[in-house]
């Protein structure tokens, strides 16, 4: 069974063609301003220009993209969103988007409404839902001309009735407005859930456009296979689902690199150094998955409930600029312009890539152009790299014991073969396209976050697992391959009926 | 009396988190509320207890209920405000100042939020010096002052007044029942206290203590030095342990979350294990089976890098943490205090020993 993995980064679009776990073809191409061309270029290469033998038997295409994260970070292509919060007379002490960065808020904030309704933790209504007010709100939204709306109700992960009712009223009055309900994204914590819901609606236009572009590129490349997009937890979702829930793609880049590193190295426990043009990202594989960050991670300055891989970045990459006279290194970088600006590429700027070529670590461009560099300089640079990376590895470690390091990314050759505190440095083939491999290998997950009352722990976990299993299967998982990845149960204090909050995540192979 | 500066709000949140000893709910959301009220131009006026007239009337307030509910319904100072009004009506006299029952966790902020709303100064004191789960664990109750009359109100139009009660324990139990009916979260105002009573029986300058801890953490983060060390530097505290959370076992009984967290050591603690018992808050720490700290001393779990306090409800496998012990107020370690908040009050079969006296 063949599959194609594509990673669309800000600079490069990488692609691989896998048969089982065997890598048949791989390519690194430049990302283009119109997403379609970049993907078509990459596809043309790995399919040998449309050679039917290569395209035959491709059963799935997985794309990992930083597009949606970047849209938020760069405040680009975002829609104005009408925000509806259901919870009055509760849930008004903090207004929607209150803690957002001012510039992002200015891009996204449409009309904001607070309305009576919502539920208690046990399902009772706080007060009856303000149906008549909702009809007025729907008219105001229609007349305001916004095209997106986000609806969040108090305790909607437990019962979504108010959100559903609000959505149906809005659909009747303003059928062209695209809506995200916070209960569709789940997780308890109103502010974070609402933030994610608003961001998701703000991304609807760009998500539809982008997913459509992906699909066009694939159709035009002659492959007839379903498209999936990767999520921040190292799993995939169907393209249509991604177009509806683009926030689920946040931070999938580092996750894909680390999952790819795992596949290439076969190691479940390791530190991964992903060396790019500008930065090196370090992450930690635990049980074959990226370790998650301890604290909440913001996206573009907004706090959401998405758990992100614990990644630390430093300014060390193939494009990092070396000042020959002062022996100063970085943090400035030529970044993606390395293939024009580096000395070996015919440019005038001395970079870490030039030093690596000079030392014979890397083959790139014309080595004669750096033949005259002083050996003392390249030794100095090598020492600097070693110190930086050893320190980075140490920061990611969880114990003093030596741990293996897997080097991936276009600049993987910059990583020295020995580092203090490291049992061995593993340089794998195809390291440059680890992220595309990670995307191609991604699995499918289902998650649930519920509060159970008056049932014992085992029963609650088994019910939650059943719901998570159902979600994973409807997302395309092969039921036989499903495993439980995470179970978290938290009893709730000061509430009768021994309520237990259970969160379960199941993960399995894509059924194709 | 002085006004708190905007920058001090974050320090207060960090410090209140540390003094929350794992309970009391981290005041992230209350900080957002307070910052917004500041942007609207209102200010917290902090008054030293010794500036209070002996006959000043002080409202003692808190939010009572389930932390999870606040995550969805958001902080509800309005409920406390209603309870305060109810108490004023009941006693027929207005209040001159306001203070919080506990400085640990989110309740640190509620007296501030309500104080701004009512234009009342906030007393630099509380009744626990940390977070504890129940009303009888407050210093006033420990010193025999009545907790009743006790007012409870919600954000709708419901209120309960307990005009008399035979004990603080009874107020706690009646109050909990009422709060559950109100949606598991409500605002409360306990018996009015005089300035004299506060000077004699409150935990003094605990707001200042939270601010000092928070400022130390913020400065350390800014300068790139270790914030955990910074906390210990401004407190007579001790680093008990550093490591990784290995396991968290929890169960609910009588509305409390009880359990035990196991931490595997790293660095100087490599190869050793710390276990921490908790009942909403952390109560006892055991290093390789030997007791090294217990209530009412403060045991706090901090994120190793940021010194952000980690609550018992959000502890989970893999977190890298530092565990510190900080000293309790003398009222809490007095004989009267230990009867209510010592290890035996939490069901343990041993007597209090200060962490400072545990041989290293």
């Amino acid at each position: 069974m063949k599959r194609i993995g594509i990673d669309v980064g800000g600079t490069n679009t990488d692609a691989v063609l896998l048969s089982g776990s065997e890598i048949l073809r791989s390519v690194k191409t430049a990302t283009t301003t119109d997403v379609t061309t970049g993907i078509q270029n990459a596809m043309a290469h790995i399919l040998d220009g449309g050679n039917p033998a290569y395209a035959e038997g491709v059963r799935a295409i997985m794309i990992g993209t930083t597009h949606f994260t970047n849209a938020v970070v760069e405040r680009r292509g975002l829609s104005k969103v009408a925000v509806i919060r259901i919870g009055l007379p509760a849930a008004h002490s903090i207004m929607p988007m209150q803690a957002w960065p001012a510039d992002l808020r200015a891009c996204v904030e449409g009309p904001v409404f607070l309305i009576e309704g919502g539920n208690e933790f046990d399902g009772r209504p706080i007060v009856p839902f303000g149906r008549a007010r909702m009809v007025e709100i729907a008219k105001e939204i229609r007349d305001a001309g916004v095209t997106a709306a986000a609806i969040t109700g108090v305790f909607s992960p437990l019962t979504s009735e108010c959100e559903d009712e609000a959505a149906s009223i809005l659909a009747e009055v303003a059928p062209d407005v695209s809506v995200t309900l916070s209960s569709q994204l789940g997780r308890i914590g109103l502010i974070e859930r609402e933030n994610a819901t608003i961001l998701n609606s703000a991304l609807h236009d760009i998500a539809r456009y982008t997913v459509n572009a992906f699909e066009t590129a694939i159709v035009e490349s002659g492959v007839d296979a379903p498209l999936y997009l990767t999520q921040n937890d190292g799993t995939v979702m169907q393209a249509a689902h991604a177009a509806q829930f683009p926030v689920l793609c946040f931070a999938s880049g580092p996750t894909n690199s680390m999952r790819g590193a795992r596949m290439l190295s076969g190691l479940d426990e390791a530190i991964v150094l992903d060396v790019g043009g500008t930065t090196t990202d370090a992450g930690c594989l635990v049980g074959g998955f990226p370790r998650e960050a301890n604290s909440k991670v913001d996206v573009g300055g907004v706090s959401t409930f998405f758990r992100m891989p614990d990644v630390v970045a430093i300014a060390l990459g193939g494009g990092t600029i070396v000042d020959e006279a002062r022996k100063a290194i970085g943090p400035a970088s030529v970044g993606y312009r390395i293939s024009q600006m580096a000395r070996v590429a015919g440019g005038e700027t001395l970079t870490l890539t030039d030093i690596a070529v000079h030392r014979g670590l890397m083959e790139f461009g014309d080595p004669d152009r750096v033949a005259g560099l002083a050996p003392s300089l390249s030794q100095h640079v090598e020492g600097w790299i070693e110190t930086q990376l050893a320190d980075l590895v140490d920061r990611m470690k969880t114990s003093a014991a030596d741990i293996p390091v897997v080097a991936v990314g276009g600049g993987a050759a910059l990583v020295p073969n020995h580092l203090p505190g490291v049992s061995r440095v593993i340089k794998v083939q195809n390291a440059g396209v680890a992220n595309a491999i990670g995307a191609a290998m991604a699995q499918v997950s289902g998650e649930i976050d519920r509060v159970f009352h008056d049932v014992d722990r085992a029963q609650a976990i088994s019910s939650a697992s059943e719901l998570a299993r159902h979600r994973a299967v409807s997302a395309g998982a092969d039921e036989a391959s499903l495993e439980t990845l995470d179970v978290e149960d938290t009893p709730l204090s000061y509430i009768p009926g021994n309520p237990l909050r259970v969160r379960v995540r199941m993960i399995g192979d894509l059924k194709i | 009396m002085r006004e708190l500066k905007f920058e001090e709000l974050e320090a207060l949140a960090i410090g209140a988190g540390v003094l929350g000893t794992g309970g009391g709910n981290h005041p992230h959301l209350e900080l957002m509320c307070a910052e917004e009220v500041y942007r609207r131009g209102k200010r917290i006026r902090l008054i030293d207890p010794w500036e209070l007239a002996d006959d000043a009337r002080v409202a003692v307030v808190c939010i009572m209920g389930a932390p999870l509910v606040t995550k969805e319904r958001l902080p509800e100072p309005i409920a406390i405000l209603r309870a305060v009004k109810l108490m004023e009506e009941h006693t027929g006299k207005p209040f001159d100042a306001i203070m919080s029952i506990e400085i640990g966790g989110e309740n640190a902020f509620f007296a501030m939020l309500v104080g701004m709303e009512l234009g009342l100064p906030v007393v630099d004191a509380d009744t626990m010096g940390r977070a504890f789960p129940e009303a009888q664990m407050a210093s006033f109750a420990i010193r025999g002052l009545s907790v009743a009359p006790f007012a409870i109100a919600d954000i709708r139009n419901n209120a309960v007044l307990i005009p008399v009660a035979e004990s603080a324990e009874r107020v706690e139990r009646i109050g909990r029942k009422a709060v559950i009916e109100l949606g598991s979260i409500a605002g409360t105002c306990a018996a009015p206290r005089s300035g004299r009573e506060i000077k004699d029986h409150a935990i003094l300058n605990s707001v200042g203590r939270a601010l000092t801890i928070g400022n130390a953490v913020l400065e350390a983060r800014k300068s790139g030095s270790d914030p955990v060390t910074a906390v210990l530097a401004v407190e007579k505290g001790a680093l008990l342990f550093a490591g990784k959370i290995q396991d968290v076992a929890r169960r609910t009984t009588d509305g409390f979350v009880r359990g035990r967290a196991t931490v595997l050591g790293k660095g100087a603690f490599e190869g050793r294990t710390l276990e921490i018992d908790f009942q909403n808050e952390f109560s006892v720490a055991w290093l390789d089976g030997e007791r090294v700290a217990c209530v009412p001393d403060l045991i706090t779990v901090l994120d190793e890098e940021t010194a952000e306090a980690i609550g018992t409800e959000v502890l989970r496998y893999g977190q890298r943490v530092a565990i510190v012990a900080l000293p309790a107020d003398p009222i809490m370690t007095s004989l009267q205090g230990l009867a209510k908040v010592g290890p035996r009050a939490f069901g343990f079969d041993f007597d209090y020993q200060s962490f400072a006296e545990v041989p290293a």
Side-chain angles (χ1 to χ4, degrees):
Chain A
M1 188 266 290
K2 286 185 188 170
R3 50 173 111 189
I4 291 171
I6 303 175
D7 183 273
V8 187
T11 308
N12 289 311
T13 295
D14 303 336
V16 294
L17 175 63
L18 301 186
S19 174
S21 58
E22 186 195 350
I23 299 157
L24 301 179
R25 297 289 288 254
S26 72
V27 67
K28 202 172 195 59
T29 62
T31 296
T32 52
T33 36
D34 72 312
V35 190
T36 323
T37 318
I39 292 180
Q40 279 170 339
N41 292 345
M43 293 276 284
H45 190 278
I46 56 167
L47 298 173
D48 204 21
N51 185 338
Y54 280 97
E56 195 178 318
V58 173
R59 302 289 292 275
I61 297 167
M62 280 84 161
I63 295 185
T65 180
T66 53
H67 229 75
F68 307 132
T69 322
N70 290 348
V72 174
V73 172
E74 297 165 18
R75 284 83 166 110
R76 180 171 45 77
L78 301 170
S79 307
K80 287 246 189 275
V81 180
V83 180
I84 300 161
R85 185 192 286 171
I86 309 166
L88 289 180
H92 63 88
S93 58
I94 299 166
M95 289 302 283
M97 289 183 270
Q98 184 180 296
W100 286 38
D103 58 341
L104 182 60
R105 188 170 171 175
C107 289
V108 170
E109 186 171 20
V112 173
F113 306 95
L114 269 57
I115 178 171
E116 295 195 327
N119 294 81
E120 310 274 21
F121 75 95
D122 58 5
R124 285 182 296 169
I126 295 174
V127 296
F129 175 60
R131 199 164 204 291
R133 174 72 185 127
M134 186 58 217
V135 175
E136 289 167 25
I137 289 173
K139 287 178 185 156
E140 283 184 55
I141 289 172
R142 180 193 62 200
D143 298 342
V146 292
T147 56
I151 302 177
T152 306
V154 171
F155 277 117
S156 69
L158 311 184
T159 161
S160 64
E161 280 168 32
C162 288
E163 288 187 2
D164 295 339
E165 196 173 349
S168 79
I169 291 171
L170 186 60
E172 216 166 279
V173 178
D176 297 333
V177 174
S178 76
V179 181
T180 312
L181 305 184
S182 83
S183 51
Q184 295 170 315
L185 291 166
R187 290 241 175 153
I188 291 164
L190 183 102
I191 294 290
E192 288 83 6
R193 189 173 72 253
E194 180 180 71
N195 285 347
T197 307
I198 296 169
L199 283 178
N200 193 67
S201 281
L203 286 164
H204 264 162
D205 271 356
I206 196 170
R208 270 192 296 258
Y209 173 82
T210 306
V211 170
N212 203 8
F214 289 163
E215 277 178 330
T216 308
I218 284 154
V219 168
E220 286 176 6
S221 69
V223 178
D224 180 23
L227 172 66
Y228 299 86
L229 266 72
T230 64
Q231 314 186 54
N232 59 1
D233 62 356
T235 63
V236 290
M237 57 187 155
Q238 283 148 4
H241 193 74
Q244 238 181 322
F245 298 104
V247 288
L248 300 177
C249 296
F250 285 170
S252 60
T255 304
N256 289 340
S257 292
M258 292 174 69
R259 293 282 293 158
R262 176 194 177 264
M263 196 234 141
L264 291 168
S265 67
L267 293 177
D268 278 344
E269 317 281 328
I271 285 174
V272 177
L273 296 178
D274 184 2
V275 188
T278 310
T279 59
T280 295
D281 291 346
C284 196
L285 281 172
V286 179
F289 281 87
R291 183 175 72 204
E292 289 179 341
N294 238 355
S295 47
K296 268 189 311 202
V297 183
D298 291 356
V299 179
V302 177
S303 96
T304 65
F305 48 68
F306 299 113
R307 299 214 62 94
M308 301 293 183
D310 185 9
V311 173
V312 176
I314 59 167
L316 189 165
T320 300
I321 296 170
V322 180
D323 182 331
E324 200 172 347
R326 292 174 35 239
K327 284 197 175 178
I329 305 155
S333 168
V334 299
Y336 68 92
R337 290 162 297 160
I338 194 160
S339 46
Q340 299 106 55
M341 292 181 71
R343 290 257 181 103
V344 289
E348 294 304 322
T349 313
L350 189 66
T351 65
L352 290 183
T353 298
D354 294 307
I355 305 285
V357 171
H358 177 68
R359 309 261 319 165
L361 297 170
M362 204 187 266
E363 282 179 36
F364 181 65
D366 177 5
D368 289 346
R369 287 185 55 87
V370 289
L373 285 181
S376 66
L377 177 70
S378 58
Q379 263 165 24
H380 168 75
V381 171
E382 200 155 277
W384 178 85
I385 292 175
E386 184 179 314
T387 311
Q388 296 286 311
L389 294 182
D391 181 59
L392 183 59
V393 167
D394 197 55
R395 279 161 67 190
M396 299 308 294
K397 272 189 180 183
T398 47
S399 81
D402 287 1
I403 183 166
V405 159
V406 184
V408 297
L414 290 176
V415 179
N417 290 322
H418 301 282
L419 279 172
V422 170
S423 56
R424 61 202 163 113
V425 174
I426 296 147
K427 293 191 178 166
V428 289
Q429 274 195 327
N430 297 300
V433 292
N435 42 13
I437 293 167
M441 297 303 290
Q443 295 173 295
V444 183
S445 74
E447 187 180 327
I448 197 84
D449 183 349
R450 283 280 168 92
V451 177
F452 294 86
H453 299 270
D454 284 324
V455 292
D456 68 32
R457 182 171 176 263
Q459 211 180 329
I461 290 175
S462 114
S463 306
S465 300
E466 203 40 57
L467 290 165
R469 172 180 297 272
H470 181 73
R471 288 200 171 178
V473 169
S474 60
D478 176 2
E479 189 154 14
S481 72
L482 278 178
E483 282 178 54
T484 305
L485 187 64
D486 248 353
V487 178
E488 207 179 291
D489 63 300
T490 318
L492 305 178
S493 54
Y494 299 126
I495 295 179
N498 295 318
L500 185 69
R501 176 183 179 183
V502 183
R503 223 151 62 186
V504 175
R505 192 146 63 112
M506 310 277 290
I507 194 159
D509 294 330
L510 191 59
K511 188 172 188 173
I512 46 179
Chain B
M1 183 137 59
R2 74 180 185 92
E3 276 186 3
L4 287 196
K5 294 195 282 285
F6 184 85
E7 301 76 50
E8 289 178 286
L9 298 176
E10 190 184 359
L12 179 63
I14 293 169
V18 172
L19 297 177
T21 60
N25 213 17
H26 200 286
H28 298 294
L29 295 170
E30 289 74 18
L31 171 62
M32 287 172 74
C33 283
E35 287 181 339
E36 187 55 23
V37 179
Y38 259 57
R39 286 189 199 100
R40 291 205 304 264
K42 296 197 176 174
R43 291 292 176 270
I44 295 163
R45 287 181 295 141
L46 194 63
I47 184 169
D48 190 275
W50 297 106
E51 290 179 61
L52 284 174
D54 279 357
D55 62 351
R57 291 175 59 81
V58 179
V60 185
V61 302
C62 75
I63 279 283
M64 194 169 181
L68 179 96
V69 176
T70 303
K71 287 190 173 74
E72 282 289 321
R73 278 176 45 168
L74 306 182
E76 299 182 343
I78 188 96
I80 296 180
L81 197 129
R82 285 170 189 228
V84 170
K85 288 292 177 198
L86 178 59
M87 188 61 75
E88 282 185 336
E89 279 165 30
H90 174 65
T91 58
K93 290 180 198 147
F95 285 112
D96 303 308
I98 191 162
M99 69 180 274
S100 176
I101 285 186
E102 59 181 349
I103 186 64
E106 63 182 344
N107 268 318
F109 271 91
F110 280 110
M112 315 268 164
L113 293 167
V114 176
M116 283 193 279
E117 205 56 55
L118 294 174
L120 295 179
V122 180
V123 185
D124 184 357
D126 76 314
T127 73
M128 291 177 175
R130 48 169 290 160
F132 273 129
E134 297 188 288
Q136 70 273 15
M137 298 172 170
S139 62
F140 296 151
I142 287 169
R143 291 296 181 85
L145 305 184
S146 172
V147 178
F150 193 84
I152 303 170
D154 76 358
I155 44 152
R156 285 158 294 214
N157 201 19
N158 304 298
V160 177
L161 183 74
I162 306 172
V164 289
E166 59 184 18
S167 66
E169 281 85 349
R170 192 65 87 169
V171 173
E172 173 70 29
R173 280 159 59 186
I174 298 168
R176 289 279 165 221
K177 289 264 189 317
V179 167
I180 284 160
E181 183 49 38
L182 297 178
S184 280
I185 200 110
T188 72
C189 181
R193 291 274 93 94
S194 72
R196 186 70 248 163
E197 286 171 323
I198 286 168
K199 290 175 225 177
D200 291 343
H201 306 298
I203 311 295
L204 303 181
N205 302 112
S206 51
V207 177
R209 184 184 187 184
L211 286 166
T212 304
I213 292 171
N215 280 321
V217 169
L218 285 173
E219 274 165 39
R221 286 186 199 161
K222 221 178 286 170
S223 68
S225 53
D226 176 24
V228 175
T229 310
V231 171
L232 295 174
V234 295
E235 282 278 333
K236 290 186 176 65
L239 176 69
L240 295 180
F241 202 67
K244 189 182 92 169
I245 306 285
Q246 180 65 22
D247 186 44
V248 186
R250 299 182 179 93
R251 62 186 194 283
T252 8
T253 36
D254 317 321
F256 296 118
V257 176
R258 295 194 168 94
R260 174 172 271 213
T262 308
V263 195
L264 292 188
K266 58 174 227 176
F269 297 95
E270 189 78 46
R272 310 187 71 179
T273 304
L274 188 85
E275 288 168 296
I276 319 171
D277 291 311
F278 54 84
Q279 176 180 322
N280 291 13
E281 287 82 31
F282 298 114
S283 40
V284 186
W286 312 81
L287 178 57
D288 294 331
E290 296 284 318
R291 181 157 39 85
V292 287
C294 67
V295 278
D297 285 342
L298 289 69
I299 301 165
T300 287
V301 177
L302 304 176
D303 179 278
E304 159 197 85
E305 272 179 39
T306 62
E308 196 76 37
I310 301 176
T312 53
E313 301 209 353
V314 291
L315 275 181
R316 58 183 182 82
Y317 170 83
Q319 286 168 331
R320 284 140 289 145
V321 296
I323 294 105
V324 300
L326 310 177
D329 188 274
I331 294 180
M332 295 295 165
T333 56
S334 67
L335 278 180
Q336 285 168 303
L338 291 176
K340 299 289 185 189
V341 296
R344 292 186 188 278
F346 286 87
F348 295 98
D349 191 22
F350 52 80
D351 290 313
Y352 166 73
Q353 187 185 15
S354 162
F355 69 89
E357 292 159 13
V358 175

